[in-house]
Amino acid sequence: MPDDNFSAMRQSIIDGAPDTASGLAQQAVSAGIAPIDAINHGYVPGMHDVGEQFAKGQMYLPDMMASAEAMRAAMAVLEPELKRLGTERPMAGVVVLGTTKGDIHEIGKILVGTLLTAHGFRVHDLGVDVAGEKFAAKAQELHADIVGVSALLTTTMRNQKGVVEAIEKAGLRSQVKIMVGGAPVTRRWAEEIGADGYAKDAMTAVVLARELMAQKTQIPATQQT
Ligand code: B1M
């Protein structure tokens, strides 16, 4: 796809224009463009620009909400395409996913969930503002392999620790791997709170989830013949 189209996608997010964003996504699908390329080279850079402008005081909250709406409109077109790829693969593992308590940012989490689904994981998305106990209860109910916790605010990333504690309290820690992510989250933070891994973006989250599944299914070295 020409760079012009990616620029138009980026601009549709900055403008907070859902109809344009979804129209461009439809064009991309019709033209056989990989949905992940449209997301990574078109729409996500637009969201990053919006964040920068907001931080500099050049954009206000309603603008940011309009941009998020445009992003959701594009994702509504691209997501089924990505999911279709996932159903053609063998089941890779069960993931319970959500944004942590006090936090309503969901675009990154949705992207992570979509890519995991596209790579064969069965993803249960709990949504936003999710307490640790809810993650633990759903993980228990679904016999989840992985719990994934997103946080976008420096004030809410500490609630990721609450999820680790809730999983421990429910007696599930030995069965469930925990991965964390989100803009302010770091590998060091993941280690500090006792999570099993950190991913910086949605594609890395897929790689990490596969690694965690491999760790889960690995026969301990002491039992290997
Ligand atoms: Co908010 N917001 N926001 N916001 N918002 C940020 C995060 C901010 C950095 C903007 C800024 O100041 N530059 C700032 C946080 C500052 C901080 O804590 N350091 C901020 C703020 C301050 C706020 C409010 C407090 C504003 C206010 O009310 N005054 C408020 C808080 C509300 C709350 O949650 N309680 C707020 C509200 C909102 C909106 C509702 C308007 C909207 C969200 C709408 C929605 O999601 N439905 C919004 C938006 C859109 C943003 C920015 C602009 C974009 C976020 C986004 O969607 N990015 C954001 C600025 C920015 O990030 N540049 C900002 C695109 C997305 C694809 O990237 O989410 O980073 P991201 O996800 C990536 C990776 O992080 C990673 O993979 C994803 C895909 O590559 N990842 C994971 C994410 N989760 C993962 C989980 C994993 C693994 C990887 O494993 C489980």
Side-chain angles (χ1 to χ4, degrees):
M1 177 170 249
D3 283 352
D4 280 1
N5 295 55
F6 290 138
S7 306
M9 287 171 182
R10 178 172 153 267
Q11 194 60 44
S12 71
I13 300 299
I14 297 169
D15 294 342
D19 291 346
T20 312
S22 94
L24 288 164
Q26 266 149 10
Q27 280 175 30
V29 171
S30 308
I33 305 306
I36 193 63
D37 286 343
I39 291 169
N40 283 341
H41 303 305
Y43 299 108
V44 167
M47 270 334 275
H48 285 145
D49 288 353
V50 168
E52 275 174 27
Q53 291 187 33
F54 179 76
K56 288 183 197 152
Q58 293 165 350
M59 245 193 188
Y60 300 99
L61 202 56
D63 305 318
M64 206 155 73
M65 289 172 84
S67 295
E69 206 41 58
M71 185 78 190
R72 286 160 65 107
M75 287 296 291
V77 176
L78 300 172
E79 223 178 344
E81 286 301 303
L82 280 164
K83 285 193 172 158
R84 195 174 49 79
L85 300 170
T87 53
E88 289 162 9
R89 295 172 188 245
M91 218 275 282
V94 176
V95 181
V96 169
L97 188 65
T99 303
T100 193
K101 195 166 173 50
D103 199 324
I104 60 166
H105 293 87
E106 63 180 348
I107 295 167
K109 169 199 56 96
I110 291 174
L111 208 48
V112 169
T114 305
L115 279 206
L116 285 171
T117 307
H119 287 83
F121 286 87
R122 191 171 302 154
V123 177
H124 184 91
D125 190 338
L126 290 171
V128 296
D129 188 20
V130 185
E133 294 70 27
K134 211 168 163 189
F135 278 100
K138 192 49 83 176
Q140 188 151 33
E141 181 195 327
L142 299 180
H143 303 288
D145 298 298
I146 299 172
V147 162
V149 194
S150 180
L152 261 286
L153 300 169
T154 43
T155 48
T156 59
M157 61 188 257
R158 70 183 66 139
N159 295 334
Q160 290 178 324
K161 187 165 193 271
V163 179
V164 177
E165 287 165 356
I167 302 269
E168 276 166 4
K169 204 168 158 200
L172 300 170
R173 194 64 188 97
S174 59
Q175 302 139 53
V176 177
K177 297 284 180 188
I178 303 172
M179 62 190 240
V180 291
V185 179
T186 60
R187 187 174 309 281
R188 195 167 165 187
W189 171 249
E191 283 166 12
E192 204 178 311
I193 65 172
D196 299 297
Y198 150 80
K200 69 172 174 27
D201 57 34
M203 204 50 233
T204 319
V206 173
V207 175
L208 173 63
R210 284 177 171 159
E211 279 170 17
L212 294 177
M213 286 308 294
Q215 285 174 23
K216 265 201 89 177
T217 50
Q218 215 167 42
I219 301 162
T222 50
Q223 291 177 23
Q224 281 174 11
T225 51

